[in-house]
Amino acid sequence: MTGLTVLLPPSETKREGGDTDRTLDLRALSFPELADERAAVITAARSVSSEESTARTALKLGPKSIAERLRNLELDTAATLPAIERYTGVLYDPLAADAADDATRRWWADHVVVQSAMFGPIGAGDQIPAYRLSHDSRLGPLRLARHWPEASSRAIGSRGAGLVLDLRSEGYRALGPVPGAVAPRVVSVDAGGRRKALNHWNKTAKGRLVALLGRTGAQVASVDDLAAWARANGVTFDRTADGWDLVAESLEPASV
């Protein structure tokens, strides 16, 4: 496969519910060759989630979130949603995936890959249940930082030649390194033209970017194509001495 692959991190927050007639099928997910790796993580997650005391430490759960451990015990029977709808929060909310038209959803399904701690890389359209696991969760002898990188990188690489736009956070990027990927810095520009890298709010800009890519059905095979698409859609995506800058203000709703 050639063209554009957009890599996203998952979100700590998940939408509840879904399709009760479609439960988790590991081999129906994108990259079915990862079924064994996925099964191993699920087994380890179930083990640490079985008791509140172990789940609290392993999954970093507080009093208000401790019940989320139960999600990991119900993965085989829980309702599923497409990954692009399951995740919520500042990156995913701008997508408004549950209200997106069919063409946009098809674009996401074809081009967007989410780096899940539980399932490894999955497609935006893959049906998954709600779960609780982060890149830094502690699963006893299974170390996510050792378990996922090689397998994830190999799977993502199997998509073939083309541009990889890496919008993952540092922790999730480490679970599936992709040499040569374009990982833009999200910046804000002040009245004097000075640029400042954003932290938390960079996720909103990334979500708006992926939403716009899907809505426009972007046809992108190289970083030059991406820059041209950005110019045509009023998005400031500039090459710098250190890589590429994505200007958050150019992705404000009024400008897209």
Side-chain angles (χ1 to χ4, degrees):
M1 179 177 180
T2 59
L4 176 65
T5 297
V6 180
L7 300 180
L8 293 181
S11 173
E12 192 102 321
T13 55
K14 318 284 193 305
R15 184 173 286 109
E16 298 289 348
D19 187 344
T20 56
D21 294 326
R22 298 183 66 180
T23 53
L24 179 64
D25 180 351
L26 294 182
R27 295 194 179 277
L29 301 178
S30 300
F31 314 111
E33 67 271 22
L34 297 177
D36 289 344
E37 285 86 354
R38 289 164 173 158
V41 175
I42 288 171
T43 297
R46 281 184 178 139
S47 178
V48 301
S49 302
S50 60
E51 300 290 341
E52 283 194 12
S53 58
T54 56
R56 187 176 294 109
T57 300
L59 306 178
K60 298 183 179 179
L61 299 174
K64 293 183 178 179
S65 58
I66 189 62
E68 292 184 15
R69 73 181 180 88
L70 300 177
R71 294 174 173 176
N72 296 344
L73 305 180
E74 301 167 350
L75 293 172
D76 289 339
T77 58
T80 62
L81 281 172
I84 203 76
E85 292 183 41
R86 176 64 71 192
Y87 299 111
T88 63
V90 292
L91 191 155
Y92 285 90
D93 290 349
L95 299 177
D98 56 343
D101 60 41
D102 289 344
T104 300
R105 293 169 68 88
R106 282 195 299 271
W107 193 95
W108 289 334
D110 288 342
H111 297 279
V112 174
V113 172
V114 180
Q115 182 76 48
S116 163
M118 184 74 77
F119 306 116
I122 54 175
D126 288 354
Q127 297 280 145
I128 59 169
Y131 64 91
R132 178 60 188 241
L133 198 69
S134 301
H135 67 89
D136 56 354
S137 295
R138 303 171 184 174
L139 299 181
L142 190 150
R143 297 287 187 267
L144 294 172
R146 290 202 299 262
H147 183 79
W148 278 128
E150 182 178 351
S152 293
S153 297
R154 184 170 60 248
I156 295 167
S158 72
R159 290 173 65 87
L163 174 65
V164 176
L165 179 63
D166 196 343
L167 303 181
R168 296 173 297 177
S169 53
E170 183 178 348
Y172 285 99
R173 197 173 293 160
L175 294 187
V178 180
V182 173
R185 183 181 70 147
V186 180
V187 300
S188 180
V189 181
D190 66 18
R194 292 179 294 272
R195 296 189 176 193
K196 178 181 178 181
L198 294 177
N199 188 8
H200 177 72
W201 293 109
N202 85 86
K203 294 180 180 179
T204 299
K206 290 175 179 178
R208 289 172 177 165
L209 175 65
V210 176
L212 186 58
L213 284 164
R215 288 201 308 272
T216 60
Q219 298 297 310
V220 172
S222 69
V223 70
D224 290 335
D225 289 345
L226 181 60
W229 170 88
R231 287 192 297 273
N233 287 278
V235 176
T236 304
F237 180 70
D238 294 335
R239 191 188 296 273
T240 71
D242 298 320
W244 290 85
D245 277 359
L246 176 65
V247 176
E249 287 84 355
S250 70
L251 284 155
E252 292 292 335
S255 68
V256 298

